[in-house]
Amino acid sequence: MEEATYSFAGAAKILDIVESKLRYWAQTGFVGPSARRGGKPVFTFQDLVSIKAAKELVDRGFKAAEIRKALESVRASLPHVDRPLDRVRVAFDGDRLVVVDQGGAYETSGQKVFDFGLAELRTSAQRIAEVRPRAQTPEGTPAPKRTAYDWFAEGTLRESSGDADADARAEACYQQALALDPGLAAAHTNLGGIAHRHGDAGLARAAFERALALDPDQVEARFNLANLILESGDLELAVAEFRRVLQTAPDFADGHYNLAVALERLGGRAQARAHLEKYLALEHEEATTSSSAAAWAEQARTLIARLAEP
């Protein structure tokens, strides 16, 4: 039997999440669909469990990095959907998510922050499972209302189009997205990028700070803000912001490179060299296939050699 899957709209309805927020989570790599059907990304039941857990932890104030760590464990231990779900719960013990069988097959230790049963989630999911693609909208039927994420996605396409008025059109799309969902932090981030390209550092910084007020762990906004601060010459604050980037995304190669640049200007030669070496380790494979990555890797090696000089 073909496994049931769920669209963004269906998953949002099941989990009581604003669809634009769910799409934003997927777009930023926080949590999202793991399957495809008819060329479109769709959610499995396991994905629904992960999102429900993520939503609960977000509501309780946990950081994105902590939630990502917790989610790593639940998929492997999640029972197949043909198991009796009325006996199964998902619990968080303060460090990881675990699947708990009431029959005693797997028990948690430590204090449970929350737990929830899967039977009710499964029942809700079964009501709107999409095993086949939906039919086309009949001709003459009004098009569905555009969501915040629809506007956001169009904005990203406009930005990458290369048209003369691409930024202006993209900016209009992001503003439409924010009118529908003021909490869409990624739209503020992209507006900041447009402002920076047009030389308005003050407007760009304000946009990045608005994004971070909504989502303090958004790596792109924090990284862009750190770069603006570095450009302004405030080296100590730039270093602090780059370190916050790497706390959330320790394998973000560009964060290591730019932190090294800021540290070198402050005189922290040993630390700068360590971050450049980390950058090269992370970018090793990319540098063998991309001329641009290879050029940046060569610059990193040149800077390492300079830092080694007495």
Side-chain angles (χ1 to χ4, degrees):
M1 181 177 177
E2 188 176 28
E3 182 182 2
T5 55
Y6 314 89
S7 67
F8 275 95
K13 183 176 181 181
I14 293 166
L15 298 163
D16 192 25
I17 297 175
V18 176
E19 184 181 344
S20 59
K21 175 62 72 175
L22 185 57
R23 288 183 178 275
Y24 165 64
W25 281 359
Q27 191 265 339
T28 55
F30 178 45
V31 62
S34 64
R36 298 189 74 83
R37 194 176 302 283
K40 296 182 179 181
V42 291
F43 296 87
T44 64
F45 181 71
Q46 285 84 349
D47 294 332
L48 298 185
V49 174
S50 294
I51 296 165
K52 184 173 176 64
K55 178 176 182 288
E56 178 78 18
L57 292 174
V58 166
D59 290 344
R60 290 174 180 265
F62 285 87
K63 295 180 180 179
E66 296 173 313
I67 297 171
R68 288 189 183 99
K69 179 183 175 184
L71 291 177
E72 290 173 1
S73 59
V74 72
R75 183 174 292 275
S77 58
L78 186 67
H80 295 298
V81 294
D82 57 357
R83 284 275 297 278
L85 294 177
D86 58 342
R87 300 178 59 224
V88 175
R89 306 187 72 79
V90 172
F92 182 62
D93 65 6
D95 181 59
R96 62 193 179 122
L97 286 164
V98 293
V99 175
V100 185
D101 190 316
Q102 292 179 11
Y106 192 0
E107 296 181 355
T108 59
S109 60
Q111 182 180 4
K112 294 180 184 177
V113 176
F114 80 94
D115 70 345
F116 60 85
L118 302 186
E120 182 179 350
L121 178 61
R122 181 63 170 167
T123 299
S124 298
Q126 284 175 332
R127 295 193 186 109
I128 57 173
E130 294 177 359
V131 185
R132 297 184 180 88
R134 291 187 179 186
Q136 295 289 328
T137 303
E139 188 174 349
T141 301
K145 256 184 153 179
R146 300 187 74 180
T147 66
Y149 186 81
D150 291 334
W151 284 110
F152 175 79
E154 183 176 337
T156 61
L157 290 174
R158 295 287 188 184
E159 273 198 84
S160 61
S161 68
D163 296 341
D165 59 350
D167 280 350
R169 289 177 176 271
E171 182 177 358
C173 289
Y174 296 140
Q175 295 292 2
Q176 289 278 7
L178 289 169
L180 292 170
D181 182 2
L184 192 56
H188 287 296
T189 301
N190 290 6
L191 285 170
I194 292 172
H196 185 250
R197 281 198 298 276
H198 289 270
D200 195 333
L203 186 60
R205 182 165 180 167
F208 297 143
E209 288 173 344
R210 280 194 293 271
L212 291 168
L214 293 165
D215 182 3
D217 292 320
Q218 193 194 101
V219 172
E220 185 177 5
R222 182 79 61 191
F223 180 69
N224 290 342
L225 177 62
N227 285 330
L228 276 179
I229 294 170
L230 180 60
E231 291 173 7
S232 74
D234 191 342
L235 297 177
E236 291 186 357
L237 182 56
V239 165
E241 291 296 337
F242 283 126
R243 289 195 190 282
R244 291 185 70 179
V245 169
L246 295 174
Q247 284 176 357
T248 302
D251 292 336
F252 183 25
D254 288 348
H256 286 283
Y257 188 99
N258 288 14
L259 174 57
V261 170
L263 286 167
E264 189 268 341
R265 293 179 186 175
L266 272 176
R269 296 162 66 90
Q271 290 185 56
R273 181 171 180 172
H275 283 285
L276 287 168
E277 289 171 347
K278 179 67 172 177
Y279 169 81
L280 289 173
L282 290 168
E283 289 289 277
H284 174 72
E285 185 174 344
E286 183 72 14
T288 64
T289 59
S290 164
S291 58
S292 175
W296 280 105
E298 185 57 34
Q299 287 192 40
R301 284 189 286 268
T302 299
L303 185 51
I304 286 173
R306 192 169 80 223
L307 290 168
E309 295 172 357

